Amino acid sequence: MSDTPEQSRGVDHMALWDRVKTTPESATKRANVNGQQITSIDTIHMIRMATREFGPMGIGWGYTIEEERFDQGQPYFDDNGALVAHEQTHTVRLLLWFMHGGQRGEVTQYGHTRAFYKSSMGKWVTDGEAPKKSTSDAMKKCLSLLGFSADIFSGLYDDQGYVEARRTEERLERSDNFDAELDQLRQEFKAWVERQSDMLRNKIPHPRSIEMVGGKALAQLGDRASIARLDEQTVDVARKQLEAAKQYGVDRVMRERKEATLAQNEEQQPQESNHG
């Protein structure tokens, strides 16, 4: 299959996405939304990232509210069955425009916020900041379509190993002594590989679990190595060590099971002879 005209000119359509996909942990917080724990992104962080890529808001990028409304929600009745009120959800449809590569682009998304609702304590709540929250919600959704904070929207922040890697990356960037911090990170990387290898070789009693844990460690390897600024040769050695440890662990469990079965059979043979 031949290359597209863009590919033949060397255009990288993932360049923007790759630049903005990673979110520092300091720009996130855990939030409870309708009983569900989610990772929330700081709005100002996303605005700053968009400004870095496109220019100041209003010049390089911006948005227009195309629609705004209150949607009627769940009804509530008193003890006599008379209607008391409906919950209200504030909704906006937001068009976000941006300049990229000399062209104007546009994306559209909806934002929603509970504006009038009954709390878990049974009290009626009116959120006076619902319009602002809906606008922020829609704006962040629009930017996510361009790759901004893709790690959060794709669920990577549900992986504690990924969160730890982002935390470590920030630690390095903020360090007063970069070389000393980098050396420490490399020592921590080496120790992490050793811990993972020991666990895969000796600590896990089921082959399938060994495969799962080993796969997860291998998936994290590149990110951890990148943070520690390790060369490809060092990464390859660590990868082979993890793969070998995973295989050793599987072989160990299978061997132990076979030995246990043989021992059990040997115990049963004298009993059968006695009964005979």
mmCIF file of all heavy atoms in Angstrom, residues 32-48:
data_model
loop_
_atom_site.group_PDB
_atom_site.id
_atom_site.type_symbol
_atom_site.label_atom_id
_atom_site.label_comp_id
_atom_site.label_asym_id
_atom_site.label_seq_id
_atom_site.Cartn_x
_atom_site.Cartn_y
_atom_site.Cartn_z
ATOM 1 N N ASN A 32 -15.137 12.540 43.572
ATOM 2 C CA ASN A 32 -16.279 11.631 43.646
ATOM 3 C C ASN A 32 -17.415 12.219 42.832
ATOM 4 O O ASN A 32 -17.945 13.278 43.168
ATOM 5 C CB ASN A 32 -16.701 11.422 45.110
ATOM 6 C CG ASN A 32 -17.751 10.333 45.242
ATOM 7 O OD1 ASN A 32 -18.808 10.380 44.609
ATOM 8 N ND2 ASN A 32 -17.487 9.344 46.086
ATOM 9 N N VAL A 33 -17.777 11.536 41.751
ATOM 10 C CA VAL A 33 -18.861 11.997 40.887
ATOM 11 C C VAL A 33 -19.948 10.925 40.868
ATOM 12 O O VAL A 33 -19.745 9.825 40.351
ATOM 13 C CB VAL A 33 -18.362 12.281 39.455
ATOM 14 C CG1 VAL A 33 -19.529 12.699 38.564
ATOM 15 C CG2 VAL A 33 -17.292 13.352 39.475
ATOM 16 N N ASN A 34 -21.073 11.256 41.488
ATOM 17 C CA ASN A 34 -22.204 10.318 41.560
ATOM 18 C C ASN A 34 -21.785 8.973 42.144
ATOM 19 O O ASN A 34 -22.185 7.907 41.659
ATOM 20 C CB ASN A 34 -22.821 10.119 40.176
ATOM 21 C CG ASN A 34 -23.395 11.405 39.599
ATOM 22 O OD1 ASN A 34 -23.902 12.255 40.339
ATOM 23 N ND2 ASN A 34 -23.315 11.564 38.288
ATOM 24 N N GLY A 35 -20.951 9.030 43.183
ATOM 25 C CA GLY A 35 -20.523 7.810 43.852
ATOM 26 C C GLY A 35 -19.367 7.092 43.195
ATOM 27 O O GLY A 35 -18.912 6.051 43.681
ATOM 28 N N GLN A 36 -18.844 7.632 42.092
ATOM 29 C CA GLN A 36 -17.735 6.997 41.374
ATOM 30 C C GLN A 36 -16.472 7.830 41.515
ATOM 31 O O GLN A 36 -16.477 9.033 41.293
ATOM 32 C CB GLN A 36 -18.094 6.837 39.893
ATOM 33 C CG GLN A 36 -17.002 6.172 39.069
ATOM 34 C CD GLN A 36 -17.369 6.064 37.598
ATOM 35 O OE1 GLN A 36 -18.389 6.591 37.176
ATOM 36 N NE2 GLN A 36 -16.540 5.385 36.817
ATOM 37 N N GLN A 37 -15.369 7.178 41.888
ATOM 38 C CA GLN A 37 -14.091 7.856 42.017
ATOM 39 C C GLN A 37 -13.455 8.046 40.636
ATOM 40 O O GLN A 37 -13.267 7.083 39.889
ATOM 41 C CB GLN A 37 -13.142 7.049 42.909
ATOM 42 C CG GLN A 37 -13.495 7.073 44.384
ATOM 43 C CD GLN A 37 -13.308 8.451 44.999
ATOM 44 O OE1 GLN A 37 -12.373 9.174 44.670
ATOM 45 N NE2 GLN A 37 -14.215 8.827 45.897
ATOM 46 N N ILE A 38 -13.155 9.287 40.291
ATOM 47 C CA ILE A 38 -12.537 9.584 39.000
ATOM 48 C C ILE A 38 -11.299 10.458 39.218
ATOM 49 O O ILE A 38 -11.102 11.019 40.298
ATOM 50 C CB ILE A 38 -13.510 10.307 38.049
ATOM 51 C CG1 ILE A 38 -13.831 11.708 38.595
ATOM 52 C CG2 ILE A 38 -14.774 9.492 37.825
ATOM 53 C CD1 ILE A 38 -14.531 12.602 37.585
ATOM 54 N N THR A 39 -10.481 10.560 38.190
ATOM 55 C CA THR A 39 -9.338 11.473 38.208
ATOM 56 C C THR A 39 -9.732 12.746 37.480
ATOM 57 O O THR A 39 -10.053 12.722 36.300
ATOM 58 C CB THR A 39 -8.117 10.837 37.525
ATOM 59 O OG1 THR A 39 -7.769 9.631 38.195
ATOM 60 C CG2 THR A 39 -6.929 11.790 37.571
ATOM 61 N N SER A 40 -9.725 13.859 38.205
ATOM 62 C CA SER A 40 -10.103 15.149 37.639
ATOM 63 C C SER A 40 -8.850 15.931 37.234
ATOM 64 O O SER A 40 -7.816 15.864 37.907
ATOM 65 C CB SER A 40 -10.900 15.953 38.666
ATOM 66 O OG SER A 40 -11.196 17.247 38.189
ATOM 67 N N ILE A 41 -8.944 16.654 36.113
ATOM 68 C CA ILE A 41 -7.808 17.424 35.601
ATOM 69 C C ILE A 41 -7.996 18.896 35.920
ATOM 70 O O ILE A 41 -9.096 19.441 35.747
ATOM 71 C CB ILE A 41 -7.668 17.275 34.074
ATOM 72 C CG1 ILE A 41 -7.858 15.822 33.653
ATOM 73 C CG2 ILE A 41 -6.328 17.799 33.589
ATOM 74 C CD1 ILE A 41 -8.049 15.646 32.170
ATOM 75 N N ASP A 42 -6.943 19.544 36.353
ATOM 76 C CA ASP A 42 -6.983 20.972 36.626
ATOM 77 C C ASP A 42 -7.226 21.751 35.328
ATOM 78 O O ASP A 42 -6.482 21.590 34.351
ATOM 79 C CB ASP A 42 -5.658 21.406 37.264
ATOM 80 C CG ASP A 42 -5.615 22.892 37.545
ATOM 81 O OD1 ASP A 42 -6.544 23.407 38.172
ATOM 82 O OD2 ASP A 42 -4.640 23.533 37.106
ATOM 83 N N THR A 43 -8.266 22.570 35.332
ATOM 84 C CA THR A 43 -8.638 23.310 34.118
ATOM 85 C C THR A 43 -7.518 24.253 33.674
ATOM 86 O O THR A 43 -7.212 24.351 32.471
ATOM 87 C CB THR A 43 -9.926 24.103 34.351
ATOM 88 O OG1 THR A 43 -10.967 23.197 34.736
ATOM 89 C CG2 THR A 43 -10.358 24.838 33.090
ATOM 90 N N ILE A 44 -6.911 24.947 34.612
ATOM 91 C CA ILE A 44 -5.852 25.901 34.265
ATOM 92 C C ILE A 44 -4.671 25.184 33.615
ATOM 93 O O ILE A 44 -4.025 25.720 32.702
ATOM 94 C CB ILE A 44 -5.392 26.684 35.509
ATOM 95 C CG1 ILE A 44 -6.522 27.597 36.011
ATOM 96 C CG2 ILE A 44 -4.153 27.521 35.198
ATOM 97 C CD1 ILE A 44 -6.942 28.647 34.987
ATOM 98 N N HIS A 45 -4.380 23.968 34.052
ATOM 99 C CA HIS A 45 -3.291 23.198 33.428
ATOM 100 C C HIS A 45 -3.588 22.972 31.949
ATOM 101 O O HIS A 45 -2.710 23.162 31.093
ATOM 102 C CB HIS A 45 -3.113 21.858 34.134
ATOM 103 C CG HIS A 45 -2.223 20.901 33.391
ATOM 104 N ND1 HIS A 45 -0.853 21.036 33.351
ATOM 105 C CD2 HIS A 45 -2.521 19.812 32.616
ATOM 106 C CE1 HIS A 45 -0.340 20.078 32.594
ATOM 107 N NE2 HIS A 45 -1.320 19.328 32.141
ATOM 108 N N MET A 46 -4.823 22.585 31.630
ATOM 109 C CA MET A 46 -5.163 22.330 30.233
ATOM 110 C C MET A 46 -5.157 23.622 29.409
ATOM 111 O O MET A 46 -4.759 23.630 28.248
ATOM 112 C CB MET A 46 -6.515 21.630 30.145
ATOM 113 C CG MET A 46 -6.506 20.236 30.742
ATOM 114 S SD MET A 46 -7.893 19.205 30.209
ATOM 115 C CE MET A 46 -7.376 18.716 28.559
ATOM 116 N N ILE A 47 -5.588 24.732 30.027
ATOM 117 C CA ILE A 47 -5.540 26.021 29.330
ATOM 118 C C ILE A 47 -4.090 26.409 29.040
ATOM 119 O O ILE A 47 -3.762 26.887 27.946
ATOM 120 C CB ILE A 47 -6.235 27.110 30.166
ATOM 121 C CG1 ILE A 47 -7.748 26.836 30.222
ATOM 122 C CG2 ILE A 47 -5.966 28.497 29.608
ATOM 123 C CD1 ILE A 47 -8.511 27.764 31.136
ATOM 124 N N ARG A 48 -3.215 26.186 30.013
ATOM 125 C CA ARG A 48 -1.796 26.511 29.826
ATOM 126 C C ARG A 48 -1.182 25.655 28.722
ATOM 127 O O ARG A 48 -0.410 26.148 27.884
ATOM 128 C CB ARG A 48 -1.033 26.305 31.140
ATOM 129 C CG ARG A 48 0.437 26.687 31.069
ATOM 130 C CD ARG A 48 1.092 26.602 32.438
ATOM 131 N NE ARG A 48 1.138 25.238 32.920
ATOM 132 C CZ ARG A 48 2.089 24.344 32.594
ATOM 133 N NH1 ARG A 48 3.065 24.713 31.772
ATOM 134 N NH2 ARG A 48 2.074 23.142 33.084
#
